[in-house]
Every structure is written in structure tokens, then in C-alpha cells.
Amino acid sequence: MKLQLDRPDGLNTFTAYGEGYVSVNGIRHSCNLAALPERLFPEWTQATFETLRVEDFEWLASLDAEIILLGTGNRLRFPAPELMRPMARAQKGLEVMDLPAACRTYNVLMGEGRKVAVGLLLV
């Protein structure tokens, strides 16, 4: 699906998504990806949903963001509570959603000037 949104100059915006990929500013990515408005992190983790580790969440919690989104692929799945503890320790909000919802929500929050980050599981 293509997303049509006014893109603030120089900021990362999801412009499309589909089975096994997302596009950021028109560039297609098919690996796990994390994004902040000013920075991309291709292959932020090699994990699948089933192999996520505490370290993956510690890394997300270290990002300069108030709200962190986790896109779990084509369907919504919640990680085990012990994996999400780094978010609580860092006092960061974590919202878990499927990949399309994570892309759309990130675009809206980023467009509002919020300090948002997203980690997307594509594999």
C-alpha cells in the first residue's frame, strides 16, 4: 500500500509497505528496520518475533524517543513481559502493533513533531 502524506523535508517517512517490505522516503527495505525521524537503522536486529531478546528492547529503549512503536509483522503479537522490562526501566512508552499500523502511526506522530521511534520486524 502506498501512503500519501506531506513529508517534512529531511525526515524519514514511510511511503509504502507490503508483504515483507517497507519504503522510507521512496527507498524500499526488506530487512528489519528501526527508524527515528532523523535516522535509519537497517537490520537493527536479526531476530524474528520468536527470537527477540532483551537486548533488542534495550537497544530500542536507548533511542532518543518518548514513544517507541514495535511493528510485529503482518499480525499483532505481544512480546513476553520480561522482554519489555527495559522500556519500563527507561520510562519509555512502548506500543505494539502490526506493521501497517506501526508505519501509519509513526508517520502521524512524526508529523506532529513527537519524539517517536519504530522498530519493524520484516523477517
Side-chain angles (χ1 to χ4, degrees):
M1 165 180 275
K2 288 190 177 188
L3 301 174
Q4 301 297 322
L5 201 89
D6 291 333
R7 183 168 59 97
D9 289 335
L11 298 180
N12 294 315
T13 303
F14 289 97
T15 51
Y17 56 81
E19 184 68 37
Y21 80 94
V22 295
S23 291
V24 179
N25 300 338
I27 299 171
R28 189 175 173 127
H29 299 270
S30 56
C31 61
N32 291 344
L33 176 82
L36 292 163
E38 307 83 17
R39 194 156 175 215
L40 283 180
F41 301 92
E43 299 184 22
W44 70 278
T45 181
Q46 298 296 314
T48 63
F49 179 81
E50 293 78 18
T51 62
L52 281 169
R53 301 170 303 143
V54 169
E55 293 81 7
D56 297 317
F57 287 87
E58 288 173 341
W59 188 87
L60 287 173
S62 75
L63 296 173
D64 184 24
E66 296 169 350
I67 301 168
I68 299 171
L69 309 174
L70 177 65
T72 60
N74 291 332
R75 64 187 176 102
L76 173 62
R77 299 185 282 179
F78 290 95
E82 60 270 12
L83 293 176
M84 298 185 286
R85 285 195 184 112
M87 296 298 176
R89 282 194 299 271
Q91 298 182 336
K92 305 249 177 136
L94 176 68
E95 295 293 331
V96 180
M97 51 194 70
D98 64 25
L99 185 131
C103 291
R104 292 188 306 264
T105 303
Y106 167 89
N107 280 354
V108 169
L109 294 173
M110 188 268 309
E112 292 175 350
R114 305 284 299 273
K115 293 180 81 171
V116 63
V118 64
L120 300 175
L121 297 172
L122 297 166
V123 293

